[in-house]
Amino acid sequence: MMASSISMLNGLTNHLVTLLRPASHSGLIQATRESWKTLQRQSESQLRESCQRTRDRVRRLGVDDLTAKVDGLALMAEALRRVRGVSMYDVQLHAACVLAQGGIAEMQTGEGKTFSCAPPAFLHALLGRGVHVATTNAYLAERDHELLSPVFRLLGVNASLLPEKAGNEEKRKAYQCDVTYGTGSEFGFDYLRDQLSLRAQTQQKMGQSLLSRLKGDMEPALMQRGLYYSIIDEADNVMLDDAVSPLVLSEAGQGEAADRLVYHAATDAVNHLREGRDYTVTGTKKTHRLTEEGNARVQVLGSDLPVELFRRTWMEYISVALRASQMRRDVDYIVDGQNKVQIVDGSTGRIFEDRTWRDGLHQAVESKEGLEISNEKGTMAQITRQRFGRLYQRLAGTTGTAQGCEREFREVYRLSVHTIPLRTPSQREIWPTRSFESQEAKWAAIAASVADLHATGRPVLVGTNSIRDSKCLAALFQEHGIEYQLLNGIQDADEASIVAAAGRYGAVMIATSLAGRGTDIKLEPEVRSLGGLHVIVAQCNESSRVDRQLVGRCGRQGDPGTAQSFLSAQDELLENHAPWLSEFIKRHTDETGECTVDVSAQIRRIQRLVERNAFARRAAMFRRDVKNSTAN
């Protein structure tokens, strides 16, 4: 019976594979489904035998062998069905095929990206070289590991969670597993730590390594066993948005900074300066330039400071103090309960607990806020995310918003983008964009719109770009008597449960633009009949992808839903990149302060321009990194 079943499976798979072309995803999906049907009739022992047979074939012929690929994907599809009760749809298998071959699968929110990543991870894990599944934050890594590790275990594959802030030995054990879940940043930092270990070994004196071995001393073992294959969840966020700054491994300084008095003096000096008279601010990056009068003024203010306190020139302290003076609390950073400055991601609103600005800027912000001045961290090693991603022999990613980024994925990461069709037609409706002459008029219009929808029982999710703006809206909602949930930008299990409840009758939520990435929002039955979840984009982001991610919270998997964008002439997108459009809006407003002309097409053009400029900056940084690494 068992031999007959195995023989039939072999014959069926081989017959189907002969009909396939390597690039035919539809053929792969069909063949996977046929193989999956046969696996469903197998016992657990038979399933393990099929898994071992596929493992042997992968190690003999590689993951690109069509029979191995079909059987590997089918085995994980069957394991998901048995362990989690999940039957994969064709669109999920389509995405799995793209990821297995190495590409970007653009899969809309709510279509099941987490499950689509499991079959290719299993297929490549059979090779025994280790698979890294990278997420945007620790919560998502822990969630996905907990969800899928029992599924891998059924097929004899072990999965681990990469611990953060753990010792080398604990991390080494995680990397020895077949599949390792962790954040994209932590994989990169561990690579840098291994490179430091290798550098230390090469810098030993001649014969020292041999003497150490003769004494029985063990050479430091590396944590990672190589960079073979990685699947990056939310690929646009990890590979593009986060790629504006390199991964920097720093050596933390202890205690308070020795030059703290200089920072305080620079802050005090800047507080005596006046824009226009003493300095000018130019460009969208807020570049400061001292006038002759301003330069003379600060030179006098810093003349009495002891020279031994300085770690850099006085003018460098003034420069970072000027930059800090323009940075905004609850927008660019927050001050937590321990009186520590924490950076806020400008594109997502997420709070980075372990990141600091470099070159004295972090200390200048601490001085501005009247906090203890921390010691600067010394750079030990760094790498751009682009170059780190290219170190993998195989790379793949999934996201709901890859459209418009095809060129960057192709030129930088050598990956093609494949759009996965929706499983069911979308019922999402996009309402016309509303624009206003002032922030106050915009906030009032949003509050009125939410009040009207809330009165009907429809749930509403409002996405803002900053904590400060979230607080402004919260105050207005209180005035209107609207009960709401306010999220703080740190994604964890509590936030996920709050976001998941956003589809309940009468729910109102204010959150950062990317709140709940990876969280499934289920609609209550009565909410469907009311029109589903309504999403409000309270501020158009510099990247249209961020706006599309927020809109993607509604109308998922064929559910009804609506979305609408609001903007004002005072929004940063317009003030920094299109002041001409700000003036246009102000000239075409009615008595309520609302613009009577649709400017959504102009907004899209501005966003495309900003995105192209951001791509150029990332590309330049990547080229410098490659050049420096080659020189070293």
Side-chain angles (χ1 to χ4, degrees):
M1 176 77 176
M2 184 182 299
S4 172
S5 176
I6 293 173
S7 175
M8 180 174 66
L9 178 62
N10 273 334
L12 177 61
T13 303
N14 288 334
H15 171 69
L16 285 167
V17 166
T18 60
L19 303 177
L20 296 175
R21 298 191 306 275
S24 172
H25 291 140
S26 60
L28 279 173
I29 295 167
Q30 180 188 355
T32 301
R33 282 220 169 270
E34 293 300 329
S35 177
W36 184 9
K37 287 179 184 177
T38 304
L39 293 172
Q40 290 178 26
R41 297 192 291 269
Q42 292 187 353
S43 65
E44 278 200 21
S45 61
Q46 289 175 316
L47 193 68
R48 283 193 291 271
E49 286 192 15
S50 295
C51 182
Q52 185 58 50
R53 187 174 61 257
T54 302
R55 186 192 303 271
D56 293 340
R57 188 177 184 97
V58 165
R59 296 193 175 184
R60 280 188 297 109
L61 302 175
V63 293
D64 292 321
D65 176 76
L66 289 177
T67 299
K69 185 178 294 182
V70 166
D71 290 347
L73 298 179
L75 280 162
M76 178 49 74
E78 175 58 13
L80 280 168
R81 187 188 70 85
R82 295 191 185 195
V83 177
R84 291 300 181 194
V86 173
S87 290
M88 295 189 72
Y89 302 116
D90 279 358
V91 293
Q92 293 172 316
L93 290 175
H94 186 177
C97 292
V98 170
L99 297 174
Q101 292 176 217
I104 300 293
E106 184 181 48
M107 195 176 190
Q108 296 304 308
T109 55
E111 294 288 286
K113 291 191 290 291
T114 299
F115 293 126
S116 296
C117 292
F122 168 72
L123 171 67
H124 284 270
L126 295 177
L127 203 57
R129 298 179 59 184
V131 170
H132 298 169
V133 182
T135 63
T136 55
N137 57 64
Y139 160 71
L140 291 176
E142 182 178 357
R143 184 204 65 178
D144 291 355
H145 170 258
E146 183 178 340
L147 178 70
L148 293 172
S149 57
V151 185
F152 286 111
R153 194 179 307 122
L154 176 65
L155 300 177
V157 169
N158 52 26
S160 64
L161 178 66
L162 181 63
E164 296 185 321
K165 301 178 183 177
N168 289 8
E169 186 57 36
E170 190 176 351
K171 286 193 169 188
R172 193 175 298 116
K173 290 178 181 178
Y175 282 117
Q176 288 302 313
C177 290
D178 299 309
V179 180
T180 306
Y181 284 87
T183 65
S185 296
E186 200 65 17
F187 286 123
F189 286 134
D190 286 343
Y191 168 78
L192 291 176
R193 293 180 182 107
D194 279 349
Q195 294 305 299
L196 287 176
S197 296
L198 289 171
R199 187 189 305 170
Q201 291 178 34
T202 60
Q203 292 175 348
Q204 288 180 340
K205 294 181 180 179
M206 186 178 297
Q208 188 173 338
S209 178
L210 175 61
L211 288 173
S212 296
R213 287 198 296 270
L214 291 174
K215 292 178 181 178
D217 296 336
M218 297 293 294
E219 292 187 3
L222 302 180
M223 288 179 287
Q224 296 178 340
R225 49 178 172 147
L227 301 176
Y228 165 58
Y229 176 65
S230 178
I231 301 174
I232 301 178
D233 190 21
E234 306 294 1
D236 63 320
N237 184 238
V238 174
M239 302 168 77
L240 305 184
D241 297 332
D242 281 353
V244 297
S245 57
L247 292 165
V248 180
L249 191 62
S250 302
E251 186 175 30
Q254 300 297 319
E256 196 170 5
D259 56 348
R260 56 188 178 276
L261 294 179
V262 186
Y263 280 109
H264 290 315
T267 299
D268 184 60
V270 164
N271 289 337
H272 286 84
L273 301 182
R274 195 167 67 211
E275 184 177 351
R277 182 194 68 183
D278 299 308
Y279 66 92
T280 58
V281 183
T282 59
T284 60
K285 304 304 288 183
K286 305 294 186 183
T287 302
H288 301 83
R289 178 169 297 178
L290 287 173
T291 64
E292 288 188 16
E293 185 177 352
N295 186 70
R297 194 181 304 276
V298 297
Q299 292 291 358
V300 171
L301 291 171
S303 59
D304 294 334
L305 292 168
V307 176
E308 61 270 16
L309 294 180
F310 285 74
R311 290 189 58 183
R312 48 177 54 89
T313 67
W314 171 240
M315 297 310 296
E316 288 177 294
Y317 283 101
I318 291 296
S319 177
V320 292
L322 274 170
R323 289 177 61 193
S325 70
Q326 300 295 314
M327 302 182 78
R328 299 150 301 171
R329 185 167 175 167
D330 289 341
V331 178
D332 303 304
Y333 64 91
I334 65 165
V335 177
D336 66 11
Q338 285 74 47
N339 284 328
K340 301 295 183 183
V341 170
Q342 293 186 347
I343 299 173
V344 176
D345 183 358
S347 65
T348 66
R350 293 279 179 229
I351 297 169
F352 297 132
E353 297 182 0
D354 298 323
R355 297 189 190 181
T356 58
W357 287 298
R358 294 190 292 169
D359 301 323
L361 179 58
H362 206 86
Q363 287 69 29
V365 172
E366 290 171 335
S367 176
K368 169 190 170 183
E369 292 292 338
L371 306 175
E372 180 180 295
I373 310 297
S374 61
N375 253 315
E376 289 185 51
K377 295 181 177 181
T379 298
M380 302 168 66
Q382 69 178 49
I383 189 172
T384 58
R385 294 175 189 270
Q386 295 95 323
R387 184 159 69 89
F388 175 66
R390 285 165 58 114
L391 290 175
Y392 282 93
Q393 185 175 329
R394 296 245 182 168
L395 191 62
T398 178
T399 177
T401 48
Q403 185 181 358
C405 308
E406 294 89 347
R407 179 187 171 193
E408 187 165 1
F409 279 122
R410 181 179 66 252
E411 294 183 1
V412 176
Y413 295 100
R414 298 175 289 215
L415 297 174
S416 57
V417 173
H418 302 260
T419 300
I420 311 300
L422 290 170
R423 181 174 64 87
T424 54
S426 174
Q427 296 187 51
R428 183 187 302 131
E429 295 180 13
I430 306 298
W431 291 358
T433 299
R434 298 178 65 185
S435 52
F436 300 83
E437 65 177 351
S438 66
Q439 290 279 18
E440 291 75 14
K442 183 182 72 170
W443 296 141
I446 290 175
S449 178
V450 171
D452 291 342
L453 290 163
H454 183 61
T456 69
R458 281 194 67 183
V460 182
L461 172 63
V462 184
T464 69
N465 288 351
S466 71
I467 298 169
R468 182 187 65 185
D469 291 336
S470 295
K471 291 178 177 178
C472 288
L473 279 175
L476 281 175
F477 287 6
Q478 284 182 323
E479 291 179 12
H480 283 75
I482 303 171
E483 294 186 6
Y484 61 89
Q485 290 272 11
L486 179 61
L487 298 186
N488 60 11
I490 302 176
Q491 185 164 15
D492 54 18
D494 291 336
E495 179 185 290
S497 64
I498 293 172
V499 175
R504 292 180 180 174
Y505 181 90
V508 175
M509 188 173 302
I510 309 171
T512 54
S513 296
L514 293 189
R517 256 199 186 203
T519 304
D520 194 17
I521 298 176
K522 300 290 188 183
L523 300 183
E524 291 185 343
E526 60 266 44
V527 168
R528 286 190 176 84
S529 62
L530 293 172
L533 176 67
H534 180 69
V535 170
I536 290 178
V537 181
Q539 295 149 312
C540 292
N541 199 277
E542 288 189 347
S543 171
S544 61
R545 288 182 291 103
V546 177
D547 295 340
R548 297 205 307 271
Q549 279 282 351
L550 179 58
V551 169
R553 300 294 99 196
C554 70
R556 300 153 67 97
Q557 300 186 44
D559 283 339
T562 55
Q564 188 170 34
S565 297
F566 288 72
L567 68 137
S568 83
Q570 296 176 328
D571 283 357
E572 286 189 20
L573 176 65
L574 302 190
E575 288 193 336
N576 291 342
H577 303 285
W580 59 268
L581 187 55
S582 293
E583 295 303 318
F584 178 87
I585 291 173
K586 292 174 183 176
R587 289 197 306 268
H588 294 82
T589 54
D590 58 20
E591 63 278 2
T592 67
E594 182 167 3
C595 183
T596 57
V597 181
D598 181 13
V599 297
S600 55
Q602 289 87 337
I603 292 295
R604 286 192 292 272
R605 284 198 293 271
I606 294 165
Q607 288 176 321
R608 284 195 293 269
L609 176 61
V610 175
E611 288 167 349
R612 284 197 297 270
N613 292 337
F615 170 34
R617 289 194 299 272
R618 290 191 293 265
M621 183 182 68
F622 172 52
R623 286 192 296 269
R624 287 194 301 271
D625 186 33
V626 172
K627 182 179 179 180
N628 292 337
S629 66
T630 304
N632 295 333

